[in-house]
Amino acid sequence: MSDAMLPALYRVERMIKENEETFTLELEPAGAARKGAVFYGGQFNMLYVFGVGEIPVSISGDPRDTRRVAHTTRAVGTVTRAMRRLKRGDLVGVRGPFGNRWPLEEAEGKDVVVMAGGIGLAPLRPALVEILARRKKYRKVVLLYGARAPEDVLYREELERWSGRADIDVRVTVDRATRKWKGHVGVVTLLVPKASFDPLHTVAMVCGPEVMMRFAVQALRKRGVDGGRIYLSMERNMKCAVGFCGHCQYGPHFICKDGPVFRFSAVEWLFGKREI
Amino acid sequence: MTHPKRPPIDSRWVLERKDFNGLFEALAGRGYAVIGPTVRDAAIVYEEIQSDQDLPEGWTDEQEAGRYRLKPRPDRKLFGYNVGPHSWKRWLNPPSVRLWRARREGGGFAVAPETERPPRVAFLGVRPCELRAIEIQDKVFMGGGYKDDIYKSRRDSLFIVAVQCGQAGGTCFCVSMKTGPKSNGGFDLALTEVLESGRHYFLLEVGTARGAEVAGEVACVPAGKHQRQAAEARVMEAVSQMGRTMDTSDLRGLFYRNAEHPRWEETAARCLLCANCTMACPTCFCTTVEDTTDLTGERAERRRTWDSCFSADFSYLHGGSVRFSPKSRYRQWITHKLAAWFDQFGTSGCVGCGRCITWCPAAIDITEEVRAIRKGDSGKKE
């Protein structure tokens, strides 16, 4: 039995309710001797709830924290609903990290546009945290984030903190506003023309529902960002996370090991085709 | 009979039919369980066998799209049949295998890896197309960054006795796929069955040092020119009998540029989504995992089981299946097999064994599908 298929035990250190459906689990390796795995923004873990099942969840914490690993997910299925009931001290099984990472090296010396839709902000958060930690390596940094409604906005405190910084342009929009909402209303792609960045020297990182990513790519290209410098995080059913089970195939790609982050120009011929 | 204790690799010998059981004895003596062809449920399947008594002596089969019939032969050949519903992946990547067990402990739980070791197995009767299929699965499970221990532990201890084909079935097309009907490597030993003027013998080829050790324990004599030629003639007969052909030129481009093609709808209207093709295919490798808990809720385990891209669950993603239409699932299967496989593993995923054609209850024929897609090749090369 290879280690890649065997869950390691992690303990729930903190359970943060982000909103009605969404929560963040902060985990630490169980047992004093165990070291946490090094991970990079863009990667994912397979999380197992005892007696319930296992699902892939992107890593959304700070990659520099080598002990604690955070996962933000929505309670929409059997496993995630059981996960939401976990409390501090409970154990979960963790396999990973798997997959590739956001192109933070390639983005050095360039403008960075991060576009997220809904829960798509979760896998981008480690990239943002790292970019801000090494802020001097990048030129302009823009975060364009769309949520369904104000109460769905994730990592609210952090976003407010970032909004207060002069070195990152944070723009948040919601599909349906309430009276208290003072920000943008409408789909996230409408923010693209408003943001200030140099399209010829920009690396864009996009994550959200496929339809959102399709329009995000359109808007970015319309501004002049080349498809070779737009990166998407793709999602498909995953069971093994190491390329054996076949579930996550997307054309010739295994999302689990060739992705989940893909250069748009590499998947353009598949992107938007139905039921691939 | 006398011959060197260790016959050299690539040497050829004659093993008489009456001495055939010596092979079983030599393999059993080395601790191998022999898996080979036998008649069960009106088909020739692969199971653990003990001696030549279990082999399908005097049996053959008739195969066509959606049709398989076992028939008696006029002679006493042991290997006078074409490939049946089973393939060897059954032993290398078992249909259901436990990955680990877990039990509740204190406030949490503990996970224990699977420790049961697989038995040492010898495959007897591996056809050339099947040898290629094993090579292809080697790439899937052992050729990348992650090695699959389930497969590798079984593969490493495997002994292979190949049988070169002396006939071809109605759905065979190994000649098109360049996988048969004769193998030049990938086996420990290879046999070609010859029946001529009352004499029944096997040309025995030694493929590896391990094969030489086994051959050294079997009664045989050096093969002469005549016997080599007789064996070669059997293979040529198989070549002339191929029931199907497939034009393999630029299959990858063909399928990639024809994701939208009217043929998909037509085939989907016939396809029952039964997954027979993927179960019978010797290279299809997709699996799923099943997590189960016992009634007390104290013990849980995870099993890996064969899965199929024809099921709705296969592509399930919060809220629905990515491939909800039958059309998209058939397209995924054939496009993966004949196109994406090249990108993923540097080879076609099809070996031309014909199983998917024979065992399709709707008689869908992969060679006919390729012709149909070619006929309406919309995209063309740029």
Side-chain angles (χ1 to χ4, degrees):
Chain A
M1 174 82 308
S2 71
D3 277 341
M5 298 306 280
L6 199 66
L9 297 184
Y10 274 61
R11 197 173 298 285
V12 176
E13 287 300 319
R14 210 147 72 103
M15 160 63 91
I16 306 157
K17 206 177 160 209
E18 302 285 353
N19 59 47
E20 201 52 46
E21 273 187 333
T22 312
F23 57 93
T24 298
L25 270 182
E26 289 187 1
L27 308 171
E28 283 189 11
R34 284 204 67 105
K35 263 188 66 184
V38 174
F39 73 88
Y40 300 95
Q43 293 189 302
F44 65 96
N45 277 327
M46 299 296 289
L47 302 185
Y48 169 68
V49 180
F50 180 81
V52 182
E54 189 187 58
I55 50 157
V57 187
S58 62
I59 300 172
S60 50
D62 182 347
R64 294 163 308 156
D65 186 340
T66 55
R67 189 151 178 85
R68 191 167 287 202
V69 58
H71 291 281
T72 301
T73 188
R74 275 167 62 201
V76 289
T78 318
V79 180
T80 43
R81 273 195 283 268
M83 219 171 253
R84 188 169 53 174
R85 290 194 294 270
L86 293 173
K87 293 180 298 292
R88 184 183 154 86
D90 286 344
L91 290 183
V92 292
V94 176
R95 296 195 293 125
F98 299 114
N100 63 359
R101 32 178 142 159
W102 294 110
L104 295 188
E105 290 81 14
E106 188 193 327
E108 284 179 12
K110 300 191 181 71
D111 291 352
V112 181
V113 175
V114 172
M115 277 184 84
I119 190 92
L121 183 58
L124 283 162
R125 183 168 168 241
L128 282 162
V129 167
E130 250 190 300
I131 287 168
L132 292 178
R134 303 183 303 142
R135 182 63 189 86
K136 284 198 178 67
K137 290 189 182 290
Y138 306 91
R139 299 200 313 186
K140 285 178 179 161
V141 177
V142 178
L143 167 61
L144 309 178
Y145 174 40
R148 280 179 303 187
E151 62 270 23
D152 292 326
V153 172
L154 292 179
Y155 312 133
R156 191 178 289 262
E157 281 176 28
E158 197 165 35
L159 287 178
E160 277 166 17
R161 225 171 34 245
W162 289 346
S163 296
R165 290 174 66 144
D167 57 359
I168 174 169
D169 178 9
V170 177
R171 291 165 194 258
V172 182
T173 181
V174 295
D175 295 342
R176 294 187 310 274
T178 51
R179 207 167 303 166
K180 270 163 46 190
W181 180 255
K182 298 281 189 292
H184 302 275
V185 178
V187 292
V188 66
T189 45
L190 295 175
L191 300 177
V192 173
K194 297 191 168 106
S196 162
F197 59 90
D198 174 2
L200 297 180
H201 299 96
T202 289
V203 168
M205 305 176 204
V206 185
C207 186
E210 250 176 76
V211 57
M212 170 264 171
M213 294 201 287
R214 196 153 70 234
F215 286 105
V217 168
Q218 268 179 24
L220 287 166
R221 290 172 116 189
K222 207 169 160 196
R223 274 279 311 254
V225 182
D226 186 82
R229 280 182 281 107
I230 301 173
Y231 289 82
L232 313 175
S233 180
M234 298 296 298
E235 189 180 16
R236 283 294 181 271
N237 185 308
M238 284 189 206
K239 295 291 182 191
C240 75
V242 291
F244 298 146
C245 80
H247 281 249
C248 70
Q249 287 178 85
Y250 182 56
H253 309 292
F254 290 97
I255 301 261
C256 69
K257 58 172 189 174
D258 305 330
V261 177
F262 290 92
R263 199 189 284 271
F264 173 71
S265 52
V267 292
E268 184 174 6
W269 65 287
L270 293 164
F271 202 70
K273 273 187 191 154
R274 276 182 301 166
E275 298 188 73
I276 290 289
Chain B
M1 305 249 175
T2 55
H3 63 76
K5 190 90 189 123
R6 281 278 186 90
I9 290 171
D10 279 341
S11 62
R12 284 163 172 73
W13 303 81
V14 169
L15 167 65
E16 296 292 340
R17 166 66 184 90
K18 65 175 173 53
D19 297 320
F20 193 84
N21 259 341
L23 194 53
F24 280 95
E25 284 156 21
L27 290 169
R30 290 175 175 274
Y32 290 109
V34 179
I35 311 293
T38 195
V39 173
R40 183 166 61 78
D41 300 336
I44 293 167
V45 298
Y46 299 147
E47 281 187 351
E48 186 166 349
I49 54 175
Q50 311 299 332
S51 76
D52 60 357
Q53 295 300 304
D54 297 328
L55 292 170
E57 183 174 11
W59 287 101
T60 191
D61 52 80
E62 240 176 38
Q63 298 194 37
E64 250 313 315
R67 184 184 159 84
Y68 180 98
R69 292 291 181 278
L70 204 58
K71 272 182 34 180
R73 292 179 64 88
D75 56 37
R76 309 292 296 166
K77 270 196 172 182
L78 300 182
F79 300 97
Y81 57 86
N82 308 292
V83 293
H86 283 183
S87 79
W88 305 100
K89 72 177 180 184
R90 215 178 152 72
W91 279 272
L92 295 174
N93 174 27
S96 175
V97 63
R98 186 164 47 216
L99 295 177
W100 47 257
R101 278 184 274 199
R103 60 181 304 161
R104 220 178 263 288
E105 240 173 42
F109 63 96
V111 182
E114 182 61 38
T115 49
E116 202 178 305
R117 301 313 293 173
R120 253 160 85 88
V121 160
F123 290 168
L124 170 63
V126 181
R127 301 296 188 167
C129 62
E130 300 182 307
L131 268 183
R132 177 62 72 84
I134 291 171
E135 275 171 33
I136 289 172
Q137 287 218 325
D138 287 351
K139 289 186 186 187
V140 173
F141 291 115
M142 308 192 300
Y146 293 101
K147 316 282 179 223
D148 180 42
D149 281 359
I150 293 167
Y151 186 90
K152 193 172 184 303
S153 60
R154 287 161 174 79
R155 182 68 174 98
D156 284 348
S157 61
L158 177 66
F159 189 96
I160 295 180
V161 183
V163 171
Q164 314 284 20
C165 288
Q167 66 176 63
T171 58
C172 287
F173 57 105
C174 67
V175 168
S176 298
M177 305 315 286
K178 300 184 176 64
T179 61
K182 185 181 191 305
S183 266
N184 294 313
F187 50 77
D188 294 296
L189 294 172
L191 303 166
T192 310
E193 186 169 28
V194 181
L195 205 61
E196 52 175 10
S197 41
R199 189 175 174 203
H200 190 176
Y201 65 90
F202 298 86
L203 184 82
L204 175 71
E205 298 166 65
V206 178
T208 61
R210 275 201 308 183
E213 286 176 24
V214 171
E217 293 173 11
V218 178
C220 49
V221 295
K225 195 176 171 197
H226 172 78
Q227 285 101 25
R228 288 162 188 252
Q229 283 173 347
E232 203 57 40
R234 298 299 170 281
V235 171
M236 291 320 290
E237 256 173 71
V239 170
S240 71
Q241 291 173 6
M242 286 293 133
R244 294 284 194 280
T245 59
M246 184 191 284
D247 172 3
T248 59
S249 56
D250 190 31
L251 282 173
R252 184 173 164 273
L254 179 74
F255 282 96
Y256 281 163
R257 67 177 173 263
N258 284 292
E260 304 300 330
H261 190 293
R263 180 68 181 187
W264 300 124
E265 286 292 0
E266 293 167 34
T267 309
R270 295 164 62 205
C271 176
L272 306 174
L273 305 177
C274 72
N276 263 17
C277 50
T278 53
M279 300 293 115
C281 176
T283 66
C284 270
F285 58 83
C286 289
T287 55
T288 188
V289 292
E290 284 171 1
D291 284 304
T292 54
T293 318
D294 71 359
L295 287 174
T296 66
E298 292 299 304
R299 290 184 180 80
E301 66 174 42
R302 177 170 301 162
R303 300 190 74 87
R304 173 166 111 180
T305 58
W306 286 0
D307 201 3
S308 171
C309 52
F310 282 90
S311 79
D313 273 355
F314 190 84
S315 63
Y316 185 84
L317 210 54
H318 45 80
S321 296
V322 172
R323 295 182 206 105
F324 55 87
S325 70
K327 164 183 128 171
S328 70
R329 293 185 217 161
Y330 187 78
R331 180 182 66 187
Q332 167 63 23
W333 178 71
I334 198 169
T335 305
H336 181 217
K337 189 74 46 189
L338 297 176
W341 219 291
F342 285 100
D343 295 285
Q344 296 170 348
F345 307 109
T347 170
S348 159
C350 175
V351 297
C353 72
R355 283 182 177 87
C356 58
I357 307 172
T358 299
W359 296 98
C360 176
I364 295 169
D365 177 343
I366 191 170
T367 64
E368 190 185 328
E369 294 310 306
V370 168
R371 273 190 293 277
I373 297 289
R374 274 194 202 286
K375 214 168 151 192
D377 185 0
S378 53
K380 295 284 187 274
K381 276 173 248 176
E382 282 158 32

